[in-house]
Amino acid sequence: AEKSNSARRRFLDEGDRIILRSFVGADAKGAYVSGAQLATELGVSRPAIWGRFKRLEGEGFAFEGVPNRGYRLVRWPRQLHTALLEEELRALGETQVHVFYLPEVDSTNSEAERQLTYGRCSPLAVFSSAQTAGRGRMGRSWASAADENVYLSFGLRPNLPSESLRGLTLWAGIFLARGLSPYVESKKIELKWPNDLRIDGKKFGGILTEAKSDTDGMRTLIIGLGLNVNGATENFPDEIRNKATTLGAHADRPLLINRIAARAAHCLHQAYQHTLAQPPEGKGGLASAWRAWDCLAGQSINIRRFDTQVRGVAVGVDDGGALLVDCGSDGIQAFQAGEVTTQGIT
Ligand code: BTN
C-alpha cells in the first residue's frame, strides 16, 4: 500500500512530465508509447494514464492511439506549457533550471527579480505568454500582447564582480543566432548592435539585461528576451508593424513554441557560462564571433548617446563588446552604449 501510495503521489506531482518525457527529446522511446507500459512504469492503472492523456488534450496536446502499437503525440500546444518546457529543457541537458510559467505577468524581468529576491533557486527561467508592462531598452516598452510569442527572463545570482560579465548581452545574441538559425534555414539571422535579433532587416527579438549590484558585487542578474515566434504581425502596434517580424514567418516548417522557448533559454544559459569562462580582460573572441552576424559592419550609421550624436562607419565590435565606429579624421571610436540608426536600418 505504501508503495502504491508513493507511486500515486509521484504520478500526481510529475505525471505530465513523465508522460511527456516518453514522447519528447532524448528520453523518447520512439514514435509510439505503450499505455500499458507507462502504467506499469508509473505504478498506476491504465485508466489513470488515459485520464491524464485526456487532461493533456485539454491543454493543447493530441494523442493518437493505434491498437497493438500504443500512443503517438500528434499535436503540440500552441501556447507555452510548464511540463513541456521542462521536458524540452531536459532534452537539451538543462536539468538544473527552475521553470516558472505564468500565462500573464507585468514583466518577466520583474518577476524573475522578485523570485530571486524571495530566495528562489537559481538559475531560473520565467516564461510568459503576455506582459502588461514589458520593458525594452532605453526606457521603451516591449509590445507583449497575448499571442504566440515568448517573453522569457533567465535569472541568476552570480555573486561576482560586475566586470566579469562584460560582453554578456552580445554573447547572448550570438548564442541565440547560432541556436535559432537551424529553424530558419533559408534565411540569415542578423544582429544589430547591441542586442537586436533580425531577419530581412526586421526585428524579431530583443534582449534586456538587468543586474542589481552592491559594493561586494553583482547580486542578481536577469537576461530578458522578447522573441516573436508565431504571433501575427497584424497584432503588433502600428509604430512597429513595419519594422518587426517573427521567427515563424521565415521558418520552413511550423515552429513548436515550447521547443523554441526552451532552446532560447538554453542559449541564454550558454551565453552566461561562456562569458564567465572568459579571462577578465575580455579576450574571448567576441569581436570575431560577432562578425558572423553583424548587420551594421560597413554601414554609415548615426550613434546617439544622451545628448551627443556621432556619425561614422560601423566597423565591428571589440572583445569587450563596444561598437567601433570609424569617424574619419577623428579616428576609430569605441561606444559602450548608445542607440544606432542607419538609413534603411532604424
Ligand atoms: C529591446 O530590444 O529593447 C529589449 C526588449 C526586451 C524585452 C524582454 S520581454 C521579456 C523580458 N521582460 C521585459 O520586461 N523585457 C524583456
Side-chain angles (χ1 to χ4, degrees), residues 125-162:
V126 178
F127 295 89
S128 187
S129 298
Q131 298 181 115
T132 52
R135 293 195 294 277
R137 285 178 63 240
M138 309 271 175
R140 287 188 290 248
S141 63
W142 182 258
S144 312
D147 206 341
E148 295 175 29
N149 297 323
V150 174
Y151 312 108
L152 157 63
S153 295
F154 202 83
L156 296 136
R157 248 190 239 101
N159 210 0
L160 289 168
S162 315

PDB file of all heavy atoms in Angstrom, residues 125-162:
ATOM      1  N   ALA A 125      14.163  30.227 -14.938  1.00  0.00           N
ATOM      2  CA  ALA A 125      13.681  30.750 -16.220  1.00  0.00           C
ATOM      3  C   ALA A 125      12.207  31.048 -16.051  1.00  0.00           C
ATOM      4  O   ALA A 125      11.416  30.156 -15.749  1.00  0.00           O
ATOM      5  CB  ALA A 125      13.903  29.730 -17.335  1.00  0.00           C
ATOM      6  N   VAL A 126      11.870  32.332 -16.175  1.00  0.00           N
ATOM      7  CA  VAL A 126      10.474  32.745 -16.079  1.00  0.00           C
ATOM      8  C   VAL A 126       9.961  32.966 -17.498  1.00  0.00           C
ATOM      9  O   VAL A 126      10.534  33.762 -18.244  1.00  0.00           O
ATOM     10  CB  VAL A 126      10.337  34.049 -15.268  1.00  0.00           C
ATOM     11  CG1 VAL A 126       8.882  34.496 -15.226  1.00  0.00           C
ATOM     12  CG2 VAL A 126      10.889  33.871 -13.861  1.00  0.00           C
ATOM     13  N   PHE A 127       8.904  32.234 -17.844  1.00  0.00           N
ATOM     14  CA  PHE A 127       8.311  32.360 -19.179  1.00  0.00           C
ATOM     15  C   PHE A 127       6.910  32.935 -19.046  1.00  0.00           C
ATOM     16  O   PHE A 127       6.201  32.616 -18.085  1.00  0.00           O
ATOM     17  CB  PHE A 127       8.145  30.978 -19.828  1.00  0.00           C
ATOM     18  CG  PHE A 127       9.418  30.249 -20.113  1.00  0.00           C
ATOM     19  CD1 PHE A 127       9.992  29.413 -19.150  1.00  0.00           C
ATOM     20  CD2 PHE A 127      10.038  30.359 -21.352  1.00  0.00           C
ATOM     21  CE1 PHE A 127      11.157  28.708 -19.418  1.00  0.00           C
ATOM     22  CE2 PHE A 127      11.200  29.649 -21.634  1.00  0.00           C
ATOM     23  CZ  PHE A 127      11.764  28.833 -20.666  1.00  0.00           C
ATOM     24  N   SER A 128       6.512  33.738 -20.015  1.00  0.00           N
ATOM     25  CA  SER A 128       5.135  34.198 -20.010  1.00  0.00           C
ATOM     26  C   SER A 128       4.613  34.334 -21.433  1.00  0.00           C
ATOM     27  O   SER A 128       5.387  34.488 -22.381  1.00  0.00           O
ATOM     28  CB  SER A 128       5.032  35.527 -19.253  1.00  0.00           C
ATOM     29  OG  SER A 128       3.681  35.881 -19.115  1.00  0.00           O
ATOM     30  N   SER A 129       3.283  34.289 -21.567  1.00  0.00           N
ATOM     31  CA  SER A 129       2.656  34.451 -22.889  1.00  0.00           C
ATOM     32  C   SER A 129       2.183  35.872 -23.121  1.00  0.00           C
ATOM     33  O   SER A 129       1.796  36.219 -24.235  1.00  0.00           O
ATOM     34  CB  SER A 129       1.444  33.520 -23.019  1.00  0.00           C
ATOM     35  OG  SER A 129       1.841  32.190 -22.912  1.00  0.00           O
ATOM     36  N   ALA A 130       2.157  36.691 -22.070  1.00  0.00           N
ATOM     37  CA  ALA A 130       1.720  38.084 -22.219  1.00  0.00           C
ATOM     38  C   ALA A 130       2.297  38.897 -21.075  1.00  0.00           C
ATOM     39  O   ALA A 130       2.391  38.406 -19.943  1.00  0.00           O
ATOM     40  CB  ALA A 130       0.195  38.162 -22.198  1.00  0.00           C
ATOM     41  N   GLN A 131       2.685  40.133 -21.381  1.00  0.00           N
ATOM     42  CA  GLN A 131       3.159  41.035 -20.330  1.00  0.00           C
ATOM     43  C   GLN A 131       2.315  42.305 -20.368  1.00  0.00           C
ATOM     44  O   GLN A 131       1.995  42.814 -21.443  1.00  0.00           O
ATOM     45  CB  GLN A 131       4.616  41.419 -20.552  1.00  0.00           C
ATOM     46  CG  GLN A 131       5.583  40.246 -20.516  1.00  0.00           C
ATOM     47  CD  GLN A 131       7.034  40.681 -20.713  1.00  0.00           C
ATOM     48  OE1 GLN A 131       7.859  40.541 -19.831  1.00  0.00           O
ATOM     49  NE2 GLN A 131       7.333  41.215 -21.880  1.00  0.00           N
ATOM     50  N   THR A 132       2.002  42.811 -19.183  1.00  0.00           N
ATOM     51  CA  THR A 132       1.223  44.050 -19.140  1.00  0.00           C
ATOM     52  C   THR A 132       2.148  45.266 -19.060  1.00  0.00           C
ATOM     53  O   THR A 132       1.717  46.379 -19.303  1.00  0.00           O
ATOM     54  CB  THR A 132       0.275  44.041 -17.931  1.00  0.00           C
ATOM     55  OG1 THR A 132       1.050  43.749 -16.763  1.00  0.00           O
ATOM     56  CG2 THR A 132      -0.806  42.984 -18.093  1.00  0.00           C
ATOM     57  N   ALA A 133       3.415  45.038 -18.706  1.00  0.00           N
ATOM     58  CA  ALA A 133       4.364  46.144 -18.621  1.00  0.00           C
ATOM     59  C   ALA A 133       5.744  45.677 -19.083  1.00  0.00           C
ATOM     60  O   ALA A 133       6.740  45.852 -18.382  1.00  0.00           O
ATOM     61  CB  ALA A 133       4.421  46.682 -17.188  1.00  0.00           C
ATOM     62  N   GLY A 134       5.789  45.085 -20.283  1.00  0.00           N
ATOM     63  CA  GLY A 134       7.060  44.596 -20.833  1.00  0.00           C
ATOM     64  C   GLY A 134       7.994  45.772 -21.109  1.00  0.00           C
ATOM     65  O   GLY A 134       7.567  46.776 -21.660  1.00  0.00           O
ATOM     66  N   ARG A 135       9.233  45.623 -20.709  1.00  0.00           N
ATOM     67  CA  ARG A 135      10.196  46.725 -20.871  1.00  0.00           C
ATOM     68  C   ARG A 135      11.194  46.427 -21.986  1.00  0.00           C
ATOM     69  O   ARG A 135      11.652  45.299 -22.132  1.00  0.00           O
ATOM     70  CB  ARG A 135      11.010  46.893 -19.583  1.00  0.00           C
ATOM     71  CG  ARG A 135      10.219  47.361 -18.389  1.00  0.00           C
ATOM     72  CD  ARG A 135      11.180  47.850 -17.298  1.00  0.00           C
ATOM     73  NE  ARG A 135      12.000  46.791 -16.736  1.00  0.00           N
ATOM     74  CZ  ARG A 135      11.618  45.975 -15.777  1.00  0.00           C
ATOM     75  NH1 ARG A 135      10.400  46.054 -15.287  1.00  0.00           N
ATOM     76  NH2 ARG A 135      12.431  45.049 -15.310  1.00  0.00           N
ATOM     77  N   GLY A 136      11.545  47.478 -22.719  1.00  0.00           N
ATOM     78  CA  GLY A 136      12.612  47.373 -23.707  1.00  0.00           C
ATOM     79  C   GLY A 136      13.782  48.225 -23.265  1.00  0.00           C
ATOM     80  O   GLY A 136      13.775  48.799 -22.174  1.00  0.00           O
ATOM     81  N   ARG A 137      14.795  48.321 -24.133  1.00  0.00           N
ATOM     82  CA  ARG A 137      15.941  49.170 -23.810  1.00  0.00           C
ATOM     83  C   ARG A 137      15.538  50.632 -23.862  1.00  0.00           C
ATOM     84  O   ARG A 137      14.522  50.988 -24.434  1.00  0.00           O
ATOM     85  CB  ARG A 137      17.070  48.937 -24.823  1.00  0.00           C
ATOM     86  CG  ARG A 137      17.795  47.625 -24.602  1.00  0.00           C
ATOM     87  CD  ARG A 137      18.872  47.437 -25.661  1.00  0.00           C
ATOM     88  NE  ARG A 137      19.882  48.475 -25.578  1.00  0.00           N
ATOM     89  CZ  ARG A 137      20.162  49.312 -26.572  1.00  0.00           C
ATOM     90  NH1 ARG A 137      19.511  49.263 -27.715  1.00  0.00           N
ATOM     91  NH2 ARG A 137      21.101  50.222 -26.409  1.00  0.00           N
ATOM     92  N   MET A 138      16.371  51.479 -23.266  1.00  0.00           N
ATOM     93  CA  MET A 138      16.204  52.929 -23.338  1.00  0.00           C
ATOM     94  C   MET A 138      14.837  53.379 -22.826  1.00  0.00           C
ATOM     95  O   MET A 138      14.231  54.301 -23.378  1.00  0.00           O
ATOM     96  CB  MET A 138      16.351  53.419 -24.799  1.00  0.00           C
ATOM     97  CG  MET A 138      17.589  52.936 -25.489  1.00  0.00           C
ATOM     98  SD  MET A 138      18.912  54.104 -25.196  1.00  0.00           S
ATOM     99  CE  MET A 138      20.290  53.298 -25.959  1.00  0.00           C
ATOM    100  N   GLY A 139      14.335  52.684 -21.828  1.00  0.00           N
ATOM    101  CA  GLY A 139      13.068  53.092 -21.230  1.00  0.00           C
ATOM    102  C   GLY A 139      11.850  52.867 -22.106  1.00  0.00           C
ATOM    103  O   GLY A 139      10.759  53.331 -21.776  1.00  0.00           O
ATOM    104  N   ARG A 140      12.038  52.155 -23.214  1.00  0.00           N
ATOM    105  CA  ARG A 140      10.877  51.907 -24.074  1.00  0.00           C
ATOM    106  C   ARG A 140      10.076  50.728 -23.543  1.00  0.00           C
ATOM    107  O   ARG A 140      10.515  49.985 -22.670  1.00  0.00           O
ATOM    108  CB  ARG A 140      11.355  51.604 -25.494  1.00  0.00           C
ATOM    109  CG  ARG A 140      11.878  52.830 -26.229  1.00  0.00           C
ATOM    110  CD  ARG A 140      12.145  52.496 -27.682  1.00  0.00           C
ATOM    111  NE  ARG A 140      13.283  51.613 -27.790  1.00  0.00           N
ATOM    112  CZ  ARG A 140      14.457  51.969 -28.330  1.00  0.00           C
ATOM    113  NH1 ARG A 140      14.630  53.180 -28.806  1.00  0.00           N
ATOM    114  NH2 ARG A 140      15.438  51.121 -28.402  1.00  0.00           N
ATOM    115  N   SER A 141       8.880  50.547 -24.101  1.00  0.00           N
ATOM    116  CA  SER A 141       8.125  49.356 -23.712  1.00  0.00           C
ATOM    117  C   SER A 141       8.355  48.283 -24.778  1.00  0.00           C
ATOM    118  O   SER A 141       8.850  48.563 -25.870  1.00  0.00           O
ATOM    119  CB  SER A 141       6.643  49.695 -23.562  1.00  0.00           C
ATOM    120  OG  SER A 141       6.144  50.108 -24.799  1.00  0.00           O
ATOM    121  N   TRP A 142       8.012  47.061 -24.429  1.00  0.00           N
ATOM    122  CA  TRP A 142       8.132  45.957 -25.382  1.00  0.00           C
ATOM    123  C   TRP A 142       6.731  45.412 -25.618  1.00  0.00           C
ATOM    124  O   TRP A 142       6.088  44.956 -24.676  1.00  0.00           O
ATOM    125  CB  TRP A 142       9.049  44.863 -24.812  1.00  0.00           C
ATOM    126  CG  TRP A 142       9.256  43.708 -25.752  1.00  0.00           C
ATOM    127  CD1 TRP A 142       8.654  42.483 -25.682  1.00  0.00           C
ATOM    128  CD2 TRP A 142      10.123  43.655 -26.893  1.00  0.00           C
ATOM    129  NE1 TRP A 142       9.080  41.675 -26.714  1.00  0.00           N
ATOM    130  CE2 TRP A 142       9.986  42.367 -27.469  1.00  0.00           C
ATOM    131  CE3 TRP A 142      10.999  44.566 -27.492  1.00  0.00           C
ATOM    132  CZ2 TRP A 142      10.693  41.976 -28.609  1.00  0.00           C
ATOM    133  CZ3 TRP A 142      11.703  44.169 -28.625  1.00  0.00           C
ATOM    134  CH2 TRP A 142      11.543  42.896 -29.179  1.00  0.00           C
ATOM    135  N   ALA A 143       6.276  45.501 -26.850  1.00  0.00           N
ATOM    136  CA  ALA A 143       4.916  45.051 -27.175  1.00  0.00           C
ATOM    137  C   ALA A 143       4.761  43.583 -26.790  1.00  0.00           C
ATOM    138  O   ALA A 143       5.503  42.735 -27.277  1.00  0.00           O
ATOM    139  CB  ALA A 143       4.663  45.250 -28.671  1.00  0.00           C
ATOM    140  N   SER A 144       3.829  43.307 -25.906  1.00  0.00           N
ATOM    141  CA  SER A 144       3.748  41.956 -25.331  1.00  0.00           C
ATOM    142  C   SER A 144       2.316  41.460 -25.224  1.00  0.00           C
ATOM    143  O   SER A 144       1.922  40.848 -24.245  1.00  0.00           O
ATOM    144  CB  SER A 144       4.362  41.932 -23.928  1.00  0.00           C
ATOM    145  OG  SER A 144       5.615  42.563 -23.877  1.00  0.00           O
ATOM    146  N   ALA A 145       1.526  41.727 -26.254  1.00  0.00           N
ATOM    147  CA  ALA A 145       0.134  41.254 -26.232  1.00  0.00           C
ATOM    148  C   ALA A 145       0.125  39.730 -26.189  1.00  0.00           C
ATOM    149  O   ALA A 145       1.082  39.085 -26.618  1.00  0.00           O
ATOM    150  CB  ALA A 145      -0.584  41.744 -27.478  1.00  0.00           C
ATOM    151  N   ALA A 146      -0.977  39.187 -25.687  1.00  0.00           N
ATOM    152  CA  ALA A 146      -1.117  37.736 -25.639  1.00  0.00           C
ATOM    153  C   ALA A 146      -1.191  37.228 -27.077  1.00  0.00           C
ATOM    154  O   ALA A 146      -2.113  37.545 -27.809  1.00  0.00           O
ATOM    155  CB  ALA A 146      -2.379  37.352 -24.883  1.00  0.00           C
ATOM    156  N   ASP A 147      -0.173  36.528 -27.496  1.00  0.00           N
ATOM    157  CA  ASP A 147      -0.147  35.944 -28.834  1.00  0.00           C
ATOM    158  C   ASP A 147       0.861  34.804 -28.748  1.00  0.00           C
ATOM    159  O   ASP A 147       1.344  34.497 -27.667  1.00  0.00           O
ATOM    160  CB  ASP A 147       0.246  37.006 -29.877  1.00  0.00           C
ATOM    161  CG  ASP A 147      -0.306  36.648 -31.263  1.00  0.00           C
ATOM    162  OD1 ASP A 147      -0.648  35.481 -31.489  1.00  0.00           O
ATOM    163  OD2 ASP A 147      -0.368  37.547 -32.115  1.00  0.00           O
ATOM    164  N   GLU A 148       1.214  34.238 -29.902  1.00  0.00           N
ATOM    165  CA  GLU A 148       2.071  33.056 -29.808  1.00  0.00           C
ATOM    166  C   GLU A 148       3.540  33.449 -29.852  1.00  0.00           C
ATOM    167  O   GLU A 148       4.296  33.017 -30.711  1.00  0.00           O
ATOM    168  CB  GLU A 148       1.685  32.077 -30.907  1.00  0.00           C
ATOM    169  CG  GLU A 148       0.262  31.570 -30.682  1.00  0.00           C
ATOM    170  CD  GLU A 148      -0.254  30.688 -31.800  1.00  0.00           C
ATOM    171  OE1 GLU A 148       0.547  30.025 -32.457  1.00  0.00           O
ATOM    172  OE2 GLU A 148      -1.479  30.680 -32.009  1.00  0.00           O
ATOM    173  N   ASN A 149       3.925  34.311 -28.913  1.00  0.00           N
ATOM    174  CA  ASN A 149       5.301  34.774 -28.784  1.00  0.00           C
ATOM    175  C   ASN A 149       5.844  34.382 -27.423  1.00  0.00           C
ATOM    176  O   ASN A 149       5.119  33.854 -26.593  1.00  0.00           O
ATOM    177  CB  ASN A 149       5.343  36.291 -28.986  1.00  0.00           C
ATOM    178  CG  ASN A 149       4.888  36.677 -30.379  1.00  0.00           C
ATOM    179  OD1 ASN A 149       5.182  35.974 -31.352  1.00  0.00           O
ATOM    180  ND2 ASN A 149       4.150  37.769 -30.480  1.00  0.00           N
ATOM    181  N   VAL A 150       7.125  34.672 -27.199  1.00  0.00           N
ATOM    182  CA  VAL A 150       7.764  34.241 -25.957  1.00  0.00           C
ATOM    183  C   VAL A 150       8.347  35.434 -25.214  1.00  0.00           C
ATOM    184  O   VAL A 150       9.070  36.242 -25.799  1.00  0.00           O
ATOM    185  CB  VAL A 150       8.905  33.231 -26.257  1.00  0.00           C
ATOM    186  CG1 VAL A 150       9.674  32.893 -24.988  1.00  0.00           C
ATOM    187  CG2 VAL A 150       8.350  31.964 -26.890  1.00  0.00           C
ATOM    188  N   TYR A 151       8.023  35.556 -23.960  1.00  0.00           N
ATOM    189  CA  TYR A 151       8.661  36.521 -23.067  1.00  0.00           C
ATOM    190  C   TYR A 151       9.364  35.687 -22.016  1.00  0.00           C
ATOM    191  O   TYR A 151       8.735  34.856 -21.360  1.00  0.00           O
ATOM    192  CB  TYR A 151       7.608  37.465 -22.451  1.00  0.00           C
ATOM    193  CG  TYR A 151       6.700  37.993 -23.533  1.00  0.00           C
ATOM    194  CD1 TYR A 151       5.388  37.569 -23.649  1.00  0.00           C
ATOM    195  CD2 TYR A 151       7.218  38.839 -24.505  1.00  0.00           C
ATOM    196  CE1 TYR A 151       4.593  37.991 -24.696  1.00  0.00           C
ATOM    197  CE2 TYR A 151       6.434  39.267 -25.565  1.00  0.00           C
ATOM    198  CZ  TYR A 151       5.120  38.841 -25.655  1.00  0.00           C
ATOM    199  OH  TYR A 151       4.348  39.241 -26.704  1.00  0.00           O
ATOM    200  N   LEU A 152      10.660  35.886 -21.924  1.00  0.00           N
ATOM    201  CA  LEU A 152      11.472  34.982 -21.112  1.00  0.00           C
ATOM    202  C   LEU A 152      12.501  35.779 -20.330  1.00  0.00           C
ATOM    203  O   LEU A 152      13.108  36.706 -20.875  1.00  0.00           O
ATOM    204  CB  LEU A 152      12.183  33.999 -22.060  1.00  0.00           C
ATOM    205  CG  LEU A 152      13.458  33.312 -21.589  1.00  0.00           C
ATOM    206  CD1 LEU A 152      13.175  32.417 -20.391  1.00  0.00           C
ATOM    207  CD2 LEU A 152      14.054  32.484 -22.712  1.00  0.00           C
ATOM    208  N   SER A 153      12.690  35.433 -19.074  1.00  0.00           N
ATOM    209  CA  SER A 153      13.798  36.013 -18.313  1.00  0.00           C
ATOM    210  C   SER A 153      14.567  34.909 -17.633  1.00  0.00           C
ATOM    211  O   SER A 153      13.995  34.066 -16.949  1.00  0.00           O
ATOM    212  CB  SER A 153      13.277  36.991 -17.257  1.00  0.00           C
ATOM    213  OG  SER A 153      12.671  38.096 -17.901  1.00  0.00           O
ATOM    214  N   PHE A 154      15.866  34.927 -17.876  1.00  0.00           N
ATOM    215  CA  PHE A 154      16.754  33.939 -17.273  1.00  0.00           C
ATOM    216  C   PHE A 154      17.418  34.619 -16.088  1.00  0.00           C
ATOM    217  O   PHE A 154      18.083  35.642 -16.258  1.00  0.00           O
ATOM    218  CB  PHE A 154      17.782  33.484 -18.312  1.00  0.00           C
ATOM    219  CG  PHE A 154      18.379  32.160 -17.990  1.00  0.00           C
ATOM    220  CD1 PHE A 154      17.719  30.993 -18.324  1.00  0.00           C
ATOM    221  CD2 PHE A 154      19.581  32.087 -17.317  1.00  0.00           C
ATOM    222  CE1 PHE A 154      18.261  29.756 -18.001  1.00  0.00           C
ATOM    223  CE2 PHE A 154      20.133  30.849 -16.990  1.00  0.00           C
ATOM    224  CZ  PHE A 154      19.463  29.688 -17.343  1.00  0.00           C
ATOM    225  N   GLY A 155      17.191  34.108 -14.889  1.00  0.00           N
ATOM    226  CA  GLY A 155      17.666  34.785 -13.680  1.00  0.00           C
ATOM    227  C   GLY A 155      18.765  34.007 -12.982  1.00  0.00           C
ATOM    228  O   GLY A 155      18.715  32.782 -12.878  1.00  0.00           O
ATOM    229  N   LEU A 156      19.764  34.754 -12.520  1.00  0.00           N
ATOM    230  CA  LEU A 156      20.917  34.131 -11.861  1.00  0.00           C
ATOM    231  C   LEU A 156      21.343  34.957 -10.672  1.00  0.00           C
ATOM    232  O   LEU A 156      21.065  36.156 -10.606  1.00  0.00           O
ATOM    233  CB  LEU A 156      22.082  34.061 -12.850  1.00  0.00           C
ATOM    234  CG  LEU A 156      21.838  33.182 -14.063  1.00  0.00           C
ATOM    235  CD1 LEU A 156      22.321  33.861 -15.315  1.00  0.00           C
ATOM    236  CD2 LEU A 156      22.481  31.832 -13.878  1.00  0.00           C
ATOM    237  N   ARG A 157      22.007  34.309  -9.741  1.00  0.00           N
ATOM    238  CA  ARG A 157      22.634  35.023  -8.631  1.00  0.00           C
ATOM    239  C   ARG A 157      24.143  34.833  -8.761  1.00  0.00           C
ATOM    240  O   ARG A 157      24.705  33.899  -8.205  1.00  0.00           O
ATOM    241  CB  ARG A 157      22.154  34.408  -7.306  1.00  0.00           C
ATOM    242  CG  ARG A 157      21.296  35.334  -6.523  1.00  0.00           C
ATOM    243  CD  ARG A 157      21.041  34.795  -5.132  1.00  0.00           C
ATOM    244  NE  ARG A 157      19.619  34.636  -4.952  1.00  0.00           N
ATOM    245  CZ  ARG A 157      18.978  33.495  -5.031  1.00  0.00           C
ATOM    246  NH1 ARG A 157      19.620  32.374  -5.239  1.00  0.00           N
ATOM    247  NH2 ARG A 157      17.696  33.465  -4.871  1.00  0.00           N
ATOM    248  N   PRO A 158      24.795  35.680  -9.544  1.00  0.00           N
ATOM    249  CA  PRO A 158      26.177  35.372  -9.921  1.00  0.00           C
ATOM    250  C   PRO A 158      27.195  35.539  -8.800  1.00  0.00           C
ATOM    251  O   PRO A 158      28.187  34.833  -8.771  1.00  0.00           O
ATOM    252  CB  PRO A 158      26.479  36.347 -11.052  1.00  0.00           C
ATOM    253  CG  PRO A 158      25.243  37.111 -11.316  1.00  0.00           C
ATOM    254  CD  PRO A 158      24.326  36.909 -10.165  1.00  0.00           C
ATOM    255  N   ASN A 159      26.961  36.496  -7.879  1.00  0.00           N
ATOM    256  CA  ASN A 159      27.919  36.702  -6.804  1.00  0.00           C
ATOM    257  C   ASN A 159      29.330  36.940  -7.343  1.00  0.00           C
ATOM    258  O   ASN A 159      30.274  36.255  -6.948  1.00  0.00           O
ATOM    259  CB  ASN A 159      27.883  35.486  -5.871  1.00  0.00           C
ATOM    260  CG  ASN A 159      28.220  35.889  -4.454  1.00  0.00           C
ATOM    261  OD1 ASN A 159      28.475  37.076  -4.182  1.00  0.00           O
ATOM    262  ND2 ASN A 159      28.239  34.944  -3.544  1.00  0.00           N
ATOM    263  N   LEU A 160      29.441  37.857  -8.242  1.00  0.00           N
ATOM    264  CA  LEU A 160      30.701  38.107  -8.943  1.00  0.00           C
ATOM    265  C   LEU A 160      30.871  39.600  -9.127  1.00  0.00           C
ATOM    266  O   LEU A 160      29.881  40.328  -9.111  1.00  0.00           O
ATOM    267  CB  LEU A 160      30.615  37.544 -10.366  1.00  0.00           C
ATOM    268  CG  LEU A 160      30.628  36.056 -10.559  1.00  0.00           C
ATOM    269  CD1 LEU A 160      30.244  35.747 -11.996  1.00  0.00           C
ATOM    270  CD2 LEU A 160      32.004  35.506 -10.255  1.00  0.00           C
ATOM    271  N   PRO A 161      32.098  40.049  -9.342  1.00  0.00           N
ATOM    272  CA  PRO A 161      32.252  41.458  -9.707  1.00  0.00           C
ATOM    273  C   PRO A 161      31.598  41.714 -11.064  1.00  0.00           C
ATOM    274  O   PRO A 161      31.647  40.851 -11.946  1.00  0.00           O
ATOM    275  CB  PRO A 161      33.776  41.647  -9.795  1.00  0.00           C
ATOM    276  CG  PRO A 161      34.361  40.286  -9.823  1.00  0.00           C
ATOM    277  CD  PRO A 161      33.367  39.323  -9.252  1.00  0.00           C
ATOM    278  N   SER A 162      30.998  42.883 -11.200  1.00  0.00           N
ATOM    279  CA  SER A 162      30.219  43.172 -12.415  1.00  0.00           C
ATOM    280  C   SER A 162      31.043  43.053 -13.693  1.00  0.00           C
ATOM    281  O   SER A 162      30.528  42.637 -14.726  1.00  0.00           O
ATOM    282  CB  SER A 162      29.639  44.580 -12.338  1.00  0.00           C
ATOM    283  OG  SER A 162      29.093  44.787 -11.063  1.00  0.00           O
TER     284      SER A 162
END
